[in-house]
């Protein structure tokens, strides 16, 4: 087919927003949609080549896959090899285990399937995954396995009927997005059945012949410009969502198809994208796409997420340099049949791929070579409370006694208090009533892009079961509630019982929290709210582990107070309001001074990740701060010495030793102290 420089320019328009999005630049909140542009381009180009060769009777499956191997394998395997070297140097065992899974899945063209099983694309932990972006290459390769066979099977049909079949399959694929978005958002995002329609629409443009049709130039000018506008508006306006891909994906896909069909070099839009800088970036776009995620991820790992905007700009510049060098010295030579014949290309691809599979499986099966670093492996073990089987369970089987006295209710930030409470009093009678992401609200649930659309109702159902449990078990006197609230305050919408989707605000969260606490008190229960530990957005747990691995000063992982205040400003505002009527305990008095908050305490790494206590951390902090006694005393007496008033106010934990020294202040030897810090 004839070379079209404007299509290379379109590749540049696809890859640059992806880089900016992954670098965290908010100006392109929908930059991830650049991958959708790539899908349409790939569908168009591949179909143009295959259909033309089939019609001419010269199509060969072997030749087709040889071209794919020359185009994709050398740069891909080169990047994977260098990623492996840096992973072995800088990754902790748990990270290396996940990297190994990604490595062999990438080599087996199944990265999207592996990620579907592991994590949502928009989850925070994906920032540290160097091979995250390989999912889109897997989708394309799976399309390349299926689509040529489909066209061969349909070769005896007329062009119009082949087009009709492709459009019908694409329509079914789009329909699948509407179903999968509700049943399994990760499957909807990652898997070919819900992505086929994007490649299929590009294929339909090729099969229809629109790109060569005699369409009046004024019409082509308008349609091409509208196509580009749709792409750019998607980058600016669309945000991550559980229902992506779906209706929000239609403009960028249709816009790309329109530009390919009508944006020829003689149109204004075509001339813009034929500009040499665009074309140059487009020529290197594959290598640029391959490099961007590893460079950004490894930088975040090595610098403990403390990369500045200027730093990200420098990293993007490094990506461009690496992309050019890879295009010049890896991609280009292997495309030259005079330098590398068919057999060497296949031999190199299969051999290097097999080595990558073996290396990846070795990392996976050895838990990231954990035996080499057992201490580091155990450092960030998660605090799972009474066990993983208690996730979302409301039953006495998730209790330490038949007649529990304390109920710990909330999301994973409530769960991580369980280990510490038991460590402070091995005989404590508690029930764990926790569900990940589901805060302790009877009428409010978060709406998160990586969870199914019916998940908010599941959260409300869980909390309704908690209500029934509390009423049914009269032995419960104290209810300990905790949540970071970011899943409510950090999203544009929340789910409100009776109203459905509602705009999120600190006011609606505060009102619902107060309503829940008031219900508990009206039913004879004594609630206490536990603020999450200090957080600044970095993964403090992995920072400490990596500092130990690399021999860096542990103080480098301490959290600056200014950063903590900025990160948790909204939750501090909500909890300050709550403290006017109910007791709130916070960790800042103990963990923080005027400058920073500790990520280690008495040599113990207290964090698992960016906010949760690790198992060891929870037990250490629980014993040090006497969780069981502190929780019950604060729930019963509050933080303010106001005779006759209900328990209320904000307290900072004190160490057990300090509590014993000051035990004369309170008959319960309370393990907290009144005080304020940054809004509490």
């Amino acid at each position: 087919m004839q070379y079209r420089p404007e299509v290379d320019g379109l590749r540049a328009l696809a890859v640059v927003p992806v880089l900016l999005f992954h670098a965290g630049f908010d100006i392109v909140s929908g930059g991830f949609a650049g991958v959708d542009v790539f899908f349409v381009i790939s569908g168009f180009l591949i179909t143009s080549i295959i259909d033309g060769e089939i019609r001419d009777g010269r199509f060969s499956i072997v030749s087709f896959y040889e071209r794919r191997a020359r185009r994709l394998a050398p740069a891909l395997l080169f990047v994977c090899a260098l990623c492996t070297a840096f992973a072995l140097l800088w990754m902790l065992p748990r990270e290396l285990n996940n990297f190994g899974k990604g490595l062999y899945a990438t080599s087996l063209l199944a990265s999207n399937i592996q990620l579907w099983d592991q994590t949502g694309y928009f989850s925070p932990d994906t920032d540290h995954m160097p091979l995250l972006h390989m999912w889109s290459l897997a989708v394309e390769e799976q399309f390349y396995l299926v689509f040529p066979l489909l066209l061969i099977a349909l070769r005896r049909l007329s062009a119009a009927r082949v087009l009709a079949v492709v459009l019908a399959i694409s329509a079914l694929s789009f329909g699948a997005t509407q179903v999968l978005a509700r049943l399994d958002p990760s499957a909807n995002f990652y898997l070919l059945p819900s992505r086929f329609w994007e490649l299929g629409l590009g294929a339909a443009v090729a099969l229809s012949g629109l790109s060569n049709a005699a369409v009046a130039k004024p019409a082509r000018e308008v349609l091409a410009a509208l196509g580009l506008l749709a792409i750019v508006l998607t980058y600016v306006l669309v945000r991550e969502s559980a229902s992506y891909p779906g209706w929000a994906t239609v403009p960028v896909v249709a816009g790309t198809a329109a530009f390919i069909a009508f944006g020829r070099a003689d149109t204004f839009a075509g001339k813009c994208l034929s500009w040499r800088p665009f074309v140059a970036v487009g020529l290197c776009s594959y290598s640029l796409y391959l490099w961007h995620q590893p460079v950004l991820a490894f930088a975040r790992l090595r610098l403990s997420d403390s990369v500045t905007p200027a730093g990200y700009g420098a990293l993007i510049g490094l990506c461009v340099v690496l992309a050019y060098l890879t295009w010049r010295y890896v991609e280009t030579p292997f495309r030259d049949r005079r330098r590398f014949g068919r057999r060497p290309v296949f031999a190199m691809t299969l051999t290097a791929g097999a080595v990558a599979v073996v290396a990846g499986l070795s990392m996976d099966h050895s838990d990231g070579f954990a035996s080499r670093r057992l201490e580091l492996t155990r450092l960030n073990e998660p605090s799972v409370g009474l066990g993983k089987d208690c996730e979302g369970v409301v039953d006495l089987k998730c209790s330490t006694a038949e007649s529990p006295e304390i109920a710990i209710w909330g999301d994973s930030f409530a769960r991580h208090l369980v280990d510490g409470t038991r460590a402070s009093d091995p005989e404590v009678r508690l029930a764990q009533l926790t569900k990940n992401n589901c805060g302790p609200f009877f009428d409010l649930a978060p709406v998160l892009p990586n969870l199914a659309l019916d998940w908010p109702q599941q959260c409300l159902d869980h909390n309704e079961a908690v209500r029934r449990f509390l009423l049914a078990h009269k032995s419960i006197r104290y209810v300990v509630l905790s949540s970071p609230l970011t899943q409510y305050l950090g999203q544009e919408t929340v789910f409100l019982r009776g109203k459905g989707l509602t705009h999120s605000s600190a006011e609606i969260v505060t009102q619902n929290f107060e309503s829940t606490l008031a219900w508990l008190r009206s039913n004879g229960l004594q609630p206490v709210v536990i603020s999450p530990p200090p957080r600044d957005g970095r993964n403090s747990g992995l920072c400490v582990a990596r500092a130990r691995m690399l021999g860096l000063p542990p103080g480098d992982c301490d959290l600056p107070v200014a950063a903590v205040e900025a990160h948790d400003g909204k939750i501090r505002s909500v909890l300050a309001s709550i403290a006017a009527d109910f007791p709130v305990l916070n960790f800042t008095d103990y963990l923080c001074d005027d400058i920073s908050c500790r990520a280690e305490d008495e040599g113990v790494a207290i964090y698992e990740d960016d906010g949760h206590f690790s198992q060891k951390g929870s037990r250490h902090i629980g014993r040090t701060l006497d969780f069981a006694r502190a929780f019950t005393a604060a729930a019963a007496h509050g933080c303010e010495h106001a005779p006759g008033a209900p328990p209320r106010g904000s307290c900072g934990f004190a160490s057990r030793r300090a509590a014993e020294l000051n035990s004369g202040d309170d008959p319960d030897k309370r393990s907290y102290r009144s005080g304020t810090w940054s809004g509490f």
Side-chain angles (χ1 to χ4, degrees):
M1 60 177 293
Q2 184 178 0
Y3 173 67
R4 294 181 57 181
E6 69 274 11
V7 174
D8 271 329
L10 187 59
R11 283 194 173 109
L13 190 62
V15 73
V16 170
V18 174
L19 266 70
L20 296 176
F21 173 77
H22 282 147
F25 291 100
D26 292 335
I27 192 173
V28 283
S29 61
F32 55 88
V35 173
D36 303 292
V37 176
F38 275 127
F39 284 157
V40 180
I41 294 173
S42 295
F44 170 75
L45 294 176
I46 292 301
T47 304
S48 297
I49 294 170
I50 296 175
D51 183 61
E53 291 182 351
I54 288 177
R55 297 297 174 188
D56 294 341
R58 53 187 176 86
F59 177 74
S60 164
I61 285 286
V62 175
S63 296
F64 173 75
Y65 289 123
E66 178 196 346
R67 290 196 298 268
R68 293 296 87 208
R70 289 181 183 277
R71 173 76 173 92
L72 303 176
L76 173 65
L77 294 169
F78 175 67
V79 170
C80 284
L82 289 181
C83 284
T84 302
F86 280 97
L88 291 169
L89 285 173
W90 290 350
M91 281 187 160
L92 297 162
R94 184 170 56 181
E95 297 168 325
L96 195 58
N97 173 259
N98 288 330
F99 176 83
K101 292 176 181 177
L103 183 61
Y104 72 70
T106 296
S107 302
L108 294 174
L109 312 181
S111 178
N112 59 331
I113 298 172
Q114 177 256 330
L115 288 167
W116 163 45
D117 183 59
Q118 180 180 351
T119 185
Y121 182 77
F122 300 113
S123 299
D125 61 338
T126 58
D127 285 345
H128 297 144
M129 298 174 63
L131 302 181
L132 170 71
H133 59 322
M134 298 301 183
W135 74 270
S136 64
L137 301 183
V139 169
E140 290 195 15
E141 291 298 332
Q142 291 159 15
F143 177 81
Y144 299 153
L145 290 174
V146 174
F147 199 66
L149 301 179
L150 175 65
L151 292 183
I152 290 172
L154 300 176
R155 67 185 182 279
R156 299 187 185 280
L157 299 181
S158 66
R161 289 189 176 182
V162 173
L163 175 61
V165 170
V166 171
L167 288 174
I169 297 174
S170 298
L172 290 174
S173 171
F174 181 79
T177 67
Q178 305 305 298
V179 177
L180 287 175
R182 294 181 176 275
L183 299 179
D184 191 338
S186 287
N188 184 47
F189 189 92
Y190 285 125
L191 301 187
L192 179 61
S194 52
R195 292 288 187 171
F196 182 96
W197 67 281
E198 302 179 44
L199 293 131
L201 192 56
V205 172
L207 293 169
S208 67
L210 277 175
S211 59
N212 296 313
V215 179
K217 189 171 183 291
R220 289 192 287 107
E221 289 278 8
V222 172
L223 292 171
L226 289 175
L228 278 188
L229 180 64
I231 295 170
V232 173
L233 288 178
T234 297
Y235 293 156
V236 175
L237 300 178
V238 170
R239 295 189 177 274
E240 54 195 63
S241 166
S243 56
Y244 199 94
W247 286 107
T249 322
V250 171
V252 68
V253 172
T256 304
F259 177 82
I260 292 172
F262 305 109
R264 301 168 203 169
D266 63 335
T267 63
F268 177 74
K271 290 176 181 177
C272 288
L273 291 193
S274 297
W275 188 38
R276 279 192 172 186
F278 277 115
V279 175
V281 173
L283 288 171
C284 300
S285 61
Y286 174 58
S287 287
L288 186 55
Y289 183 78
L290 287 178
W291 276 116
H292 86 279
Q293 181 64 13
V295 168
L296 297 176
F298 281 120
R300 294 185 187 109
L301 286 170
R302 186 62 179 81
L303 300 175
S304 302
D305 290 312
S306 57
V307 183
T308 64
Y312 277 119
L315 291 172
I316 290 175
L318 175 61
C319 290
V320 172
V321 172
L322 291 172
Y324 171 75
L325 293 174
T326 305
W327 171 78
R328 177 70 177 83
Y329 296 107
V330 179
E331 282 192 66
T332 303
F334 276 94
R335 293 184 193 177
D336 187 348
R337 287 182 172 82
R338 294 170 298 179
R339 298 183 66 176
F340 296 97
R342 174 180 292 176
R343 287 188 179 180
V345 167
F346 280 140
M348 180 277 297
T349 301
L350 294 174
T351 302
V355 171
V357 169
V358 171
L361 288 172
S362 298
M363 296 177 205
D364 182 19
H365 291 172
S366 65
D367 293 326
F369 303 130
S371 60
R372 298 185 309 162
R373 295 166 174 163
L374 284 176
E375 181 185 351
L376 292 177
T377 302
R378 296 169 182 154
L379 202 62
N380 304 118
E381 285 185 3
S383 178
V384 296
L386 298 180
K388 294 180 180 179
D389 293 341
C390 288
E391 161 61 19
V393 173
V394 182
D395 192 275
L396 277 179
K397 70 180 183 180
C398 291
S399 173
T400 60
E402 287 297 318
S403 300
E405 183 183 27
I406 301 172
I408 296 183
W409 175 29
D411 50 36
S412 55
F413 278 77
R415 184 192 66 214
H416 76 168
L417 301 173
V418 174
D419 273 322
T421 307
R422 297 181 73 194
S424 69
D425 180 3
E427 303 301 320
V428 69
R429 294 182 291 126
L430 67 80
Q432 177 180 329
L433 309 172
T434 60
K435 181 178 177 65
N436 286 346
N437 298 305
C438 185
F441 300 94
F442 287 128
D443 297 317
L444 192 68
V447 179
L448 299 172
N450 59 321
L451 297 176
L453 295 181
D454 64 347
W455 189 91
Q457 186 59 52
Q458 296 176 29
C459 176
L460 292 180
D461 292 345
H462 168 82
N463 286 336
E464 194 60 35
V466 170
R467 189 203 300 264
R468 295 192 297 269
F469 184 91
L470 295 174
L471 291 174
H473 295 84
K474 303 301 182 182
S475 61
I476 297 175
R477 296 175 57 194
Y478 310 103
V479 181
V480 178
L481 306 91
S482 190
S483 170
L485 303 182
T486 48
Q487 68 270 45
Y488 299 86
L489 299 171
Q491 301 295 323
E492 290 187 357
T493 58
V494 290
F495 189 86
L496 186 62
R497 189 188 300 276
K499 289 188 177 181
L501 294 179
T502 304
H503 180 71
S504 178
S505 67
E507 290 74 21
I508 197 171
V509 173
T510 303
Q511 290 169 9
N512 277 269
F513 211 162
E514 290 176 338
S515 174
T516 297
L517 293 165
W519 182 91
L520 293 171
R521 185 172 281 174
S522 69
N523 282 275
L525 297 162
Q526 296 176 314
V528 58
V529 177
I530 312 301
S531 173
R535 303 173 300 157
D536 66 357
R538 294 182 302 155
N539 193 318
S540 301
L542 292 181
C543 178
V544 171
R546 205 177 324 280
R548 293 191 182 183
M549 180 178 71
L550 300 175
L552 302 175
D556 290 353
C557 299
D558 287 349
L559 297 74
V561 164
V564 172
E565 291 179 340
H567 185 272
D568 282 343
K570 288 184 178 180
I571 182 176
R572 289 187 294 107
S573 174
V574 170
L575 294 183
S577 298
I578 296 294
D581 297 298
F582 301 94
V584 177
L585 278 173
N586 68 76
F587 294 98
T588 51
D589 273 8
Y590 178 71
L591 290 175
C592 305
D593 55 28
D594 293 337
I595 299 173
S596 63
C597 302
R598 297 189 299 280
E600 293 188 64
D601 187 51
E602 298 179 2
V604 177
I606 59 177
Y607 288 99
E608 173 205 346
D609 49 28
D610 62 344
H612 297 92
F613 287 136
S614 65
Q615 184 183 79
K616 285 185 176 180
S618 178
R619 291 173 180 173
H620 167 76
I621 294 293
R623 283 190 295 266
T624 303
L625 303 183
D626 203 358
F627 274 7
R629 183 181 295 173
F631 294 166
T632 56
H637 303 288
C639 304
E640 297 179 356
H641 302 286
R648 65 186 182 187
S650 179
C651 316
F653 282 97
S655 68
R656 183 188 291 260
R657 180 177 296 177
E660 291 172 352
L661 291 174
N662 296 289
S663 60
D665 295 340
D666 190 288
D668 293 301
K669 290 186 176 182
R670 57 177 68 174
S671 295
Y672 59 90
R673 57 184 177 222
S674 297
T676 60
W677 180 84
S678 300
F680 281 107

